[in-house]
Amino acid sequence: MTDSEAPRRLRVFLVDDHAMFRAGVRAELGVHVDVIGEASTVSEAVNRIAATEPDVVLLDVHMPEGGGRAVLDAMRRTHPHVRFLALSVSDAAEDVIGLIRAGARGYVTKTISPDELAAAIRRVAEGDAVFSPRLAGFVLDAFAARPDAPVADPELDQLTNREREVLRLLARGYAYKEIAKELFISIKTVETHVSNVLRKLQMSNRYELSRWAADRRLV
């Protein structure tokens, strides 16, 4: 293959709030794609993606200011040609489904190898949907269970990413102390999140929340 026939190197933007992770991804992907920028917050991401217009954005799920969902919400109307691939440590069904509903073209976990990630980026750039093997089932189940239902879930959408994390652990039977340890937050903060979730969903106790979470396959 001549140089003129070689595939164009894709322009990729990284969004993650951990600098060491961004540096590692940049180093690993540098032989495959052109990493043209990075951001650690939602506001940085929105401004820099708009300025650079990459082919594909690698997007973390949980970050300050609303996480990957907020980036997608801000960009999908003004920059519909930019494709997003979620790259996260989370393999929770509600995270996967939430990002896909918001417009991401795929979702892979951070255990993916550099070569596999490079291949996933190219597939997303070409218009394919890409998922880590276990995660594809979440998406299929979500849409097969209620094929005629609207894509959005207004009740779930009103919860922040952190509130969803707390809700999921609560529904799994974790005590407040265990949730605090798992999420590296204080017990008081856990109590505040639970109170907010109860208020938003108009429920009175954790048992109602657990049933609600189970009905939506969040557990």
Side-chain angles (χ1 to χ4, degrees):
M1 180 181 289
T2 65
D3 289 343
S4 61
E5 295 173 327
R8 180 178 69 86
R9 283 173 66 87
L10 293 172
R11 302 168 68 253
V12 175
F13 194 97
L14 308 178
V15 182
D16 193 286
D17 60 343
H18 293 93
M20 290 183 64
F21 179 77
R22 295 197 309 272
V25 171
R26 179 185 284 272
E28 295 285 1
L29 286 181
V31 298
H32 301 287
V33 301
D34 290 331
V35 180
I36 62 169
E38 59 185 63
S40 61
T41 67
V42 170
S43 55
E44 282 182 348
V46 170
N47 291 332
R48 294 177 185 177
I49 292 169
T52 57
E53 297 194 345
D55 298 306
V56 177
V57 176
L58 289 181
L59 184 65
D60 193 15
V61 177
H62 299 296
M63 299 183 301
E65 303 176 4
R69 178 68 180 270
V71 177
L72 284 163
D73 288 343
M75 301 302 301
R76 62 184 174 183
R77 292 181 181 176
T78 58
H79 293 75
H81 57 286
V82 177
R83 301 189 187 276
F84 290 82
L85 174 61
L87 177 63
S88 177
V89 296
S90 172
D91 62 357
E94 71 271 23
D95 287 335
V96 179
I97 295 166
L99 266 288
I100 298 306
R101 282 174 168 161
R105 292 293 302 173
Y107 194 118
V108 295
T109 60
K110 290 181 178 179
T111 57
I112 194 171
S113 72
D115 288 344
E116 290 172 334
L117 180 56
I121 290 169
R122 183 158 294 280
R123 286 181 59 193
V124 165
E126 293 171 349
D128 290 343
V130 179
F131 301 94
S132 294
R134 177 172 175 266
L135 306 185
F138 294 153
V139 179
L140 292 173
D141 288 347
F143 291 99
R146 300 194 308 163
D148 298 325
V151 170
D153 184 333
E155 288 185 313
L156 182 60
D157 289 347
Q158 67 182 314
L159 304 182
T160 67
N161 287 326
R162 182 62 87 184
E163 287 168 353
R164 295 182 196 187
E165 289 179 326
V166 170
L167 173 59
R168 185 175 72 253
L169 294 175
L170 192 71
R172 289 178 178 175
Y174 282 55
Y176 285 5
K177 182 177 181 180
E178 293 171 321
I179 296 173
K181 182 178 180 181
E182 181 78 12
L183 300 180
F184 302 99
I185 57 180
S186 70
I187 295 175
K188 182 65 176 177
T189 300
V190 173
E191 292 173 346
T192 299
H193 286 312
V194 172
S195 177
N196 289 339
V197 172
L198 287 168
R199 174 178 51 79
K200 289 180 179 180
L201 299 181
Q202 297 182 358
M203 296 180 186
S204 58
N205 58 64
R206 66 178 295 168
Y207 303 106
E208 290 182 352
L209 287 179
S210 294
R211 288 196 301 271
W212 185 90
D215 288 342
R216 284 163 172 75
R217 303 188 182 189
L218 304 184
V219 181

